[in-house]
Amino acid sequence: MSKLYFTEDHEWINVDGSDAIVGISDYAQQALGDIVFVEIPEEGRALAKGDEAAVVESVKAASEVYAPVSGTVVAGNSALEEEPALVNTASQSDGWFFRMQLSDPAELEGLMDEAAYATYIQGLDG
Amino acid sequence: MSTPDATLQHTALYNLHQELGAKLVPFAGYAMPVQYPAGIMAEHRHTREKAGLFDVSHMGQVILSGNNVEAALEKLVPGNIVDLAPGRIRYSLFTNAQGGILDDLMITRRQDDLFLVVNAACKTQDLEHLRRYLHADISIKLLTTQALLALQGPCAAAVMERVADGFNAAQPFMSMASVQIAGVGCDISRSGYTGEDGFEISMPSDQAETVARALLADRDVAPVGLGARDSLRLEAGLCLYGHDITSETTPVEAALSWAIGKRRRMEGGFPGADIIQQQLTGMAGRQRVGIRLGGRAPAREGAEIVDKDGQVIGRVTSGGFSPSMGCPIAMGYVDAPHFQAGQNVGLRVRQKTLPGQIIDLPFIPHRYYR
C-alpha cells in the first residue's frame, strides 16, 4: 500500500516500498498558473535530497522542482512533453513528473503527510 | 495566493480585483492583479478574440502646460511634438546624453496642454527629470486622483459603441476623445499595449470602479491581469521598459528609429542626439530582434544568444511562451551582422542550447484601427 508525503517546497512523493512517484501539489500548480513546459530528469540520474530534479515553466516564469528524498530516477513522465498542462489539470495523478528508486527511505520521516501539508498551506495563505 | 504586504499602494480598483478573485502581486510599488481565476492563457486568448479590461492605474499620468510647452518637451524627447495636431497622440522616449532611453511614454496634445502617460516604475525619476530640464514657467502636474484602464481587443470598439455615450467608432488610431461611460466623463485614447485595437481610458479614481463595472458587464469584456499584458505585448513586439529598453540601449539599437521625427533627425536638439544621429546614418552595432524558438522550452530574460559556433552574439531581454503561436518566443539584442531575419541562433538555457530563428517583429501582426 502506497503512502503520500509532501515537502515544504510543494512536491508530493507517493511511496510504495522503495519505489516512488514525484510531482507537484495542487497548491503549487495553482500558484504557478498555466504550465507550458516541464523539463524532466533523465533516466538513471542520481539525486540527493534537495537537488534540483526538474524545471516547470509557466507562462510567466521558470521554477525548480527539488528531489524530496535521495534516489535514482527510473523514468520521467513523457506525457508532459506533449501536454505540460496535465500538471494543471491532474497535478496529483497524470501530471506526475518522475519515478524514482529511493536510496534512503528513512529520509521520508522528515516529510509531511497529507493532513500536515493541508495545515501547512493554510498557514501560508494567512 | 498570499495578500501582498501593507506597504504597497492600491489602485482605485483594488477592492474590485479582490472581488473578481485576482492574484495580486507587488509591481512597481503597487498591489496589482497578475491574473484572475481564468488564468494568463485564457485571459490572453480572450484579449486576442474579444476584449480584455486591464487596470493600468499604476502608470503615471502627467499634465504639462505653459507657453510653447511642445517645444520645451522636444528638448527631452526625439519625437516631433511641435507639429502634433491637437487631439493626437505620439509614442516617444526620454533619452539621456549617451542616447540611452530613460523611459518610454505616450504624449497627447490636448487643446491647452500635453498629457503624458509614463511607466509606473519610472514616474518619480521622470518627474525629477522634467522638473530639472524644463524651464520654470512650464507647469508639471502628476494626476494622483486619476485612474487609467485599458480596453483591448478586436471587440473593443463595439463594446465602446454599446457602453460609451458620445463614442465615435471612426475615432482615429493614436487620438484622444471624450465620452461618458455610466455617466462618468472619460478621456479615451485609441492606443494600447497589446497590438490590438483598443482604448486607454482615463477617469477620476473615485469613479473608476463604476466605469470598470459598466465595461465588465458587457458580454465581450473580461478582466485581464499583468501576466497576459506581458505575453500580449511580447507577441506584439512592444518593449517593456527596464528589460527591452534601458538607459544602456539607444532608440536605434532598440529598433525604435521610427519614433524619431524626420525634422528631429536633421535638427537634433534632444539628449544624446549626436550619438543617435550617428547611429541613424549607418548601422548600430547591435539591434533588438525577435526570436522564435524551435522546441517547447522558453528562454527567459538574460539567456545568452549564440551563433552556430557557440559564440555569444547577444542576450535575451524578454522571453516567454506565446499563447497565440503555441511556442516559445523571445526578444533580445544581437550583435551585427547576425541580426538579419532568417538567421539561425542558439539560446543557452540550463546548459543546453535551444534552437531558434531570428524573425521580423511583431510576432503577431498588429491590428490597430486604421
Side-chain angles (χ1 to χ4, degrees), chain B residues 8 39 58 70 73 79 93 118 130 135 141 163 167 201 226 277 286 297-298 307 339 370:
Chain B
L8 293 170
H58 57 313
E70 299 82 11
L73 185 59
L93 309 153
V118 302
L130 289 165
H135 47 87
K141 199 167 79 183
V163 176
F167 174 65
I201 307 161
L226 293 183
Q277 284 169 317
R286 57 178 185 158
D307 67 10
F339 51 62
R370 300 283 187 188

Side-chain angles (χ1 to χ4, degrees), chain A residues 31 34 57-60, chain B residues 23 41 296 300 350 352:
Chain A
D34 294 314
E57 301 249 13
S58 68
V59 181
K60 272 209 81 64
Chain B
K23 186 192 291 183
M41 206 81 92
R296 284 197 70 104
R300 305 285 179 179
R350 294 185 290 271
K352 295 193 180 88

Side-chain angles (χ1 to χ4, degrees), chain B residues 193-211:
Chain B
Y193 194 45
T194 61
E196 299 293 335
D197 186 18
F199 303 86
E200 292 193 348
I201 307 161
S202 178
M203 79 239 82
S205 301
D206 58 0
Q207 300 184 81
E209 193 177 317
T210 304
V211 173

